[in-house]
Amino acid sequence: MKKNEKNGVVYYTFENLDALGIVRHGFSTRIGGVSRGPFEAMNLGFGTADDRENIKENYRLFCDAVGFSPENIVMSGQTHTTNIHNVNDASESGLKDIDGLVTDKADIVLVTYYADCVPLLLCDPVKKVIANCHAGWRGTAHNMAGKAVEKMMTDYGCSPRDIVVGIGPSISCKNFEVGPEVAEEFKNLLPFSVDFMYNSKYVENKFHIDLWGINRQSFIGAGLRESNIETAGMCTFDEEALFYSHRRSGGQRGSLAAFIAI
């Protein structure tokens, strides 16, 4: 990923998406906003207990830095599903039970939210279609990556071989420790996930799961070229100065966001 900074706002972009020349996108950090306390500073989550006016100002600052129009933003309504919504107009709002957004309309800004879960940004430069998907561990286990590709194929005629993907900053394998029930769910839903699952060295009957690797393999299984997939490799849990982390903070935190538009 590439670090960007404008007017004190720090954000990251994927080099493979930048290289396409048709996509504007960015993944936010904590840096550059006006929020305070546990929300410091670039909190973009309206679902948090932060002051609403602070959040609005953070959006204005972020959009100004990246080059988006705030009035063109369409926000997801995340509940850890694999539901993906076709966005046809920037006026769409109040989406519920939607963890993925896809469009072929120019200037619509698709936005999803994070504080450890995995951001998935997709672009087909041939059909000029983009998608922005939130994949927590449940979304990852239920193959959000593959379902996003399928949605782009079915609804927009995309070819998996053309799709370019970024897997964004999120919790790393070493910090994502789970119990046997989560491990079993992965094994049942995605049998190949056992190759991305490791016994804890420190706690009996605990496992570490590589969400980055599972999403990458899900994209490959959906027909994407390995060379078209970029993984950020940045851990939200470890990088406290840069990112909010739900697990690290015990839920006392703001929200990061992924933005993409054509």
Side-chain angles (χ1 to χ4, degrees), residues 14 31 36 44 47 70 145 147 155 176 181-182 191 194 241 245 252:
F14 290 100
I31 301 170
R36 295 293 177 261
L44 296 169
K147 290 177 180 178
D155 292 5
F176 187 53
E181 69 286 349
V182 174
V194 296
S245 167
Q252 300 299 309

Side-chain angles (χ1 to χ4, degrees), residues 117-179:
C117 295
V118 186
L120 306 175
L121 296 183
L122 302 85
C123 178
D124 176 352
V126 177
K127 296 290 187 179
K128 292 184 172 56
V129 176
I130 53 171
N132 188 345
C133 297
H134 162 261
W137 75 258
R138 290 181 180 85
T140 298
H142 285 265
N143 195 22
M144 172 60 97
K147 290 177 180 178
V149 174
E150 182 181 1
K151 185 78 168 175
M152 293 172 72
M153 292 170 61
T154 302
D155 292 5
Y156 297 91
C158 298
S159 167
R161 304 289 286 174
D162 295 328
I163 296 174
V164 176
V165 165
I167 300 172
S170 41
I171 196 165
S172 61
C173 182
K174 73 171 183 175
N175 292 311
F176 187 53
E177 185 180 79
V178 301

Side-chain angles (χ1 to χ4, degrees), residues 194-212:
V194 296
D195 295 332
F196 299 90
M197 199 176 301
Y198 311 93
N199 291 326
S200 173
K201 295 179 181 179
Y202 308 106
V203 183
E204 186 178 358
N205 214 25
K206 292 285 188 178
F207 303 86
H208 291 266
I209 297 179
D210 180 2
L211 299 177
W212 304 344

Side-chain angles (χ1 to χ4, degrees), residues 241-256:
L242 276 179
F243 303 123
Y244 303 110
S245 167
H246 186 83
R247 182 167 286 215
R248 184 187 64 234
S249 67
Q252 300 299 309
R253 47 79 181 174
S255 285
L256 307 160

Side-chain angles (χ1 to χ4, degrees), residues 34-81:
V34 300
S35 296
R36 295 293 177 261
F39 312 111
E40 189 174 1
M42 183 57 77
N43 174 30
L44 296 169
F46 281 109
T48 66
D50 193 8
D51 183 272
R52 191 172 182 85
E53 292 306 312
N54 286 345
I55 300 170
K56 288 181 178 179
E57 177 63 7
N58 290 340
Y59 269 93
R60 188 192 68 77
L61 292 167
F62 189 86
C63 288
D64 180 66
V66 186
F68 294 130
S69 298
E71 62 270 18
N72 290 341
I73 286 176
V74 176
M75 304 175 181
S76 57
Q78 296 168 195
T79 51
H80 296 281
T81 70

